[in-house]
Amino acid sequence: MSSEYEQGRQDVNSRQNRGNGQHGQHGQHAQSRQSIVLGDVEVTRVIEWQGPFGPPRSLVPDVGAEVWKENEEWLSPDHWEVDGDRAVLALQTWVLRSAGKTVLVDTGVGNGRERPGSALFHHREGDFLGELERAAGVRPEDVDVVVNTHVHGDHVGWNTVAQDDGWVPAFPNAQYLVPAADDHHFGPANAYGGGAREDDRLIYEDSIAPVHRTGQVVLWDGAHRIDEHLTLESAPGHTPGSSVLRLASGTDRAVFVGDLLHSPVQILEPACNSCFCLDPAQAAASRRRILERAADCSELLVPAHFGGAGAVEVRRRGQDFTVGAWASHRDVG
């Protein structure tokens, strides 16, 4: 990793890592610019929301209570609220400045959405676009590429904003990269996810269809190269089109894994899925494959929802994995 990253890293085995200060107050958005540099790519974190989400064994049902307890020292408080027994998650966007372009990785929940199946997301109001400018110095018109790692409501919401009686692209000059398999699965040709959830139809209609209408969507399958540093790869299971974004610049490596992991306990227990995975066997296989490469190639693991530092190294422990050093973002604002 780059010298700037190495100077900022924190080892999870150190007691100083507890409460590393990245999360601030639960339920609050970021107040400063948190950034690291990997090779020639600057990575900035913009938090839409962070706080206690729900019971850990509802989020990742197959991870036993003993795993949480045995790892309490480093899981609390950034990933587990012990007193209330709730997993702590973040809704966040990663802003990448790469090869002269500004790239957003996932776009959160959005404002004013009808999400009857999710109380946290339903009619949510926040100042994400303002925070994007304050934390990352990015205005909507500055964005060149939007990456939706998959089509779930907390990853595509700020694709669009309300205008008059409808929805329009939030980033007027951006190309939106959407996995083709998810576009089909959640789109009208498949009855919006097979008609399983009303939210799926609402998400597609307010966050995906409007960018189709303006011709800004690029559908891709298998792999898609964005520039010399960034490549999208399919990692199905969580959804049919679930994907990861690989970063390779100089000697630095990172992988933005979307929802392949919701909690760092899944690094320890990679066969255990979140409650949101549509194809559990496929999701577990994708997770192990991505973790193996992250460990073997020294890729910084950057999931969509980790609290605390938000990104971590993965190390092998025999046939299993363990949590390595956490990234520490430099405060530049």
Side-chain angles (χ1 to χ4, degrees):
M1 297 291 175
S2 65
S3 59
E4 183 172 359
Y5 169 72
E6 289 291 346
Q7 290 171 4
R9 69 201 290 260
Q10 297 178 331
D11 194 288
V12 71
N13 295 318
S14 168
R15 286 182 178 271
Q16 294 178 352
N17 188 70
R18 292 191 62 191
N20 60 24
Q22 297 292 338
H23 68 285
Q25 295 182 352
H26 287 327
Q28 302 298 314
H29 57 66
Q31 296 296 327
S32 62
R33 182 172 171 181
Q34 300 170 12
S35 181
I36 57 176
V37 175
L38 300 173
D40 292 328
V41 181
E42 183 185 38
V43 179
T44 303
R45 183 188 195 189
V46 180
I47 300 174
E48 184 179 13
W49 176 90
Q50 188 167 205
F53 182 77
R57 283 162 301 284
S58 295
L59 180 66
V60 277
D62 293 333
V63 175
E66 71 280 1
V67 175
W68 293 85
K69 191 64 179 176
E70 289 167 2
N71 295 280
E72 177 182 343
E73 182 177 6
W74 62 268
L75 283 172
S76 174
D78 293 325
H79 311 285
W80 182 28
E81 184 187 74
V82 176
D83 290 344
D85 191 28
R86 292 190 292 176
V88 175
L89 300 183
L91 303 176
Q92 56 205 352
T93 293
W94 298 94
V95 181
L96 280 55
R97 288 179 171 86
S98 175
K101 293 184 177 181
T102 298
V103 180
L104 306 188
V105 183
D106 290 324
T107 63
V109 173
N111 277 359
R113 310 296 161 138
E114 292 288 337
R115 302 289 186 260
S118 174
L120 178 61
F121 303 160
H122 190 54
H123 291 172
R124 176 174 171 75
E125 296 291 336
D127 188 25
F128 173 79
L129 294 180
E131 188 61 28
L132 183 66
E133 184 167 4
R134 288 188 294 272
V138 173
R139 301 165 300 172
E141 60 268 27
D142 299 331
V143 176
D144 299 294
V145 178
V146 173
V147 171
N148 295 142
T149 59
H150 61 290
V151 180
H152 272 170
D154 53 334
H155 293 257
V156 302
W158 281 103
N159 281 3
T160 58
V161 291
Q163 184 179 93
D164 299 326
D165 294 328
W167 301 93
V168 298
F171 308 105
N173 301 318
Q175 180 184 79
Y176 288 72
L177 301 178
V178 179
D182 269 15
D183 189 75
H184 172 75
H185 177 79
F186 292 107
N190 192 45
Y192 304 101
R197 300 190 319 146
E198 174 65 4
D199 280 25
D200 290 336
R201 181 186 65 80
L202 294 167
I203 290 164
Y204 193 91
E205 288 187 346
D206 66 37
S207 298
I208 300 296
V211 287
H212 268 297
R213 288 195 289 269
T214 58
Q216 292 174 249
V217 171
V218 173
L219 299 179
W220 65 276
D221 193 19
H224 179 87
R225 191 169 182 84
I226 297 174
D227 61 30
E228 60 263 41
H229 307 304
L230 305 176
T231 303
L232 281 161
E233 295 180 8
S234 294
H238 180 68
T239 64
S242 183
S243 63
V244 301
L245 177 67
R246 295 198 181 280
L247 182 158
S249 182
T251 61
D252 289 348
R253 301 289 182 269
V255 57
F256 297 79
V257 300
D259 278 4
L260 276 186
L261 298 94
H262 278 76
S263 168
V265 298
Q266 292 175 282
I267 297 173
L268 310 178
E269 302 286 344
C272 297
N273 296 300
S274 78
C275 60
F276 305 110
C277 291
L278 296 183
D279 187 328
Q282 195 175 44
S286 289
R287 186 177 306 109
R288 174 163 284 279
R289 174 173 59 83
I290 297 303
L291 289 174
E292 286 175 346
R293 180 164 165 177
D296 294 343
C297 298
S298 299
E299 289 182 321
L300 184 68
L301 188 78
V302 192
H305 296 303
F306 278 18
V312 67
E313 294 176 6
V314 178
R315 298 174 181 163
R316 281 194 180 269
R317 185 174 58 190
Q319 296 299 309
D320 299 320
F321 306 99
T322 189
V323 173
W326 291 91
S328 182
H329 304 269
R330 61 186 175 93
D331 188 351
V332 294

